[in-house]
Amino acid sequence: MQEDIQEILIDRYAIQARVFAMAQEIAACYGQQEFVLMPLMTGAIIFVADLVRHMPRRMRIEVTAVSSYPNAATVNQGTRLLYPTKFEVAGKHVLVIDDILDSGKTLAYVTTLLQESGAASVKTCVLLRKKIAAEQHFNADFIGFDIPDEFVVGYGLDYNHYYRNLPDLAVLQRRVFER
Ligand code: 5GP
Ligand code: MG
């Protein structure tokens, strides 16, 4: 696995420091307000696991699965809700957690659906934001790092289902995409 890495973009120590700071930002924003944390599978699993352990407060965690990058696709193929089949969020404050903001289509889709399902408020949080995303119409409320428009893996993010367990955020060797 290590030999497939071209470059480490953000190492595990920088990630931990930033995740800790983000947890404080989020906690300060909600105050005493109870909220539902909605991590998008599977990319957000490691991020959300680290994030919630810095937020010792009353909250629900409801995992959500959408499909936008099937298998080896590296561009958004159209978003679909896979789980749950229907959101039960009427009157609730929802914070959607995703790994990365790229075209913004995934979060725009989920946010709209949650609003249509009667959520009291919907906010979004991403660990990473690509340059291209900063220029789009959709933006997240909480952002960990701004990164260049490269395909990244590690810390939950995959390429073709692999590399999620890398502790650092990395760019893969070009040959990995060619095999
Ligand atoms: P968007 O809908 O904003 O274009 O893309 C968001 C989703 O695409 C994220 O949930 C993530 O799973 C996937 N994605 C976007 N860019 C990357 C990337 O550079 N690496 C990986 N592994 N996934 C990405
Ligand atoms: Mg994802």
Side-chain angles (χ1 to χ4, degrees), residues 40-44 66 68-69 98-100 106 157-158 164:
L40 302 190
M41 295 296 104
T42 304
V66 297
S68 48
Y69 283 67
D98 204 1
D99 48 5
I100 186 165
T106 306
L157 291 94
D158 74 310
R164 293 193 197 275

Side-chain angles (χ1 to χ4, degrees), residues 69 76 98-100 102-106 130 150-152 158:
Y69 283 67
N76 194 309
D98 204 1
D99 48 5
I100 186 165
D102 186 359
S103 71
K105 284 184 185 146
T106 306
K130 287 195 184 175
E150 279 185 278
F151 194 81
V152 296
D158 74 310

Side-chain angles (χ1 to χ4, degrees), residues 77-89:
Q77 307 277 302
T79 311
R80 229 160 29 97
L81 184 66
L82 303 177
Y83 179 86
T85 48
K86 190 171 165 288
F87 286 129
E88 308 278 355
V89 293

Side-chain angles (χ1 to χ4, degrees), residues 32-90:
Q32 294 308 305
Q33 186 82 256
E34 185 175 326
F35 59 89
V36 180
L37 216 78
M38 205 169 263
L40 302 190
M41 295 296 104
T42 304
I45 54 169
I46 295 177
F47 177 35
V48 79
D50 282 346
L51 196 62
V52 293
R53 283 178 289 176
H54 296 302
M55 290 193 282
R57 59 179 357 263
R58 188 174 163 84
M59 67 166 75
R60 291 189 181 194
I61 303 175
E62 292 179 12
V63 301
T64 299
V66 297
S67 159
S68 48
Y69 283 67
N71 304 317
T74 55
V75 287
N76 194 309
Q77 307 277 302
T79 311
R80 229 160 29 97
L81 184 66
L82 303 177
Y83 179 86
T85 48
K86 190 171 165 288
F87 286 129
E88 308 278 355
V89 293

Side-chain angles (χ1 to χ4, degrees), residues 1-8 12 153-154 163 165-173 175-176 179:
M1 203 162 76
Q2 297 301 321
E3 66 279 6
D4 292 345
I5 295 172
Q6 181 188 297
E7 181 200 351
I8 289 179
R12 61 199 77 178
V153 298
Y163 306 104
N165 56 322
L166 283 175
D168 310 297
L169 278 153
V171 177
L172 293 172
Q173 300 275 6
R175 61 169 170 74
V176 176
R179 70 187 174 214

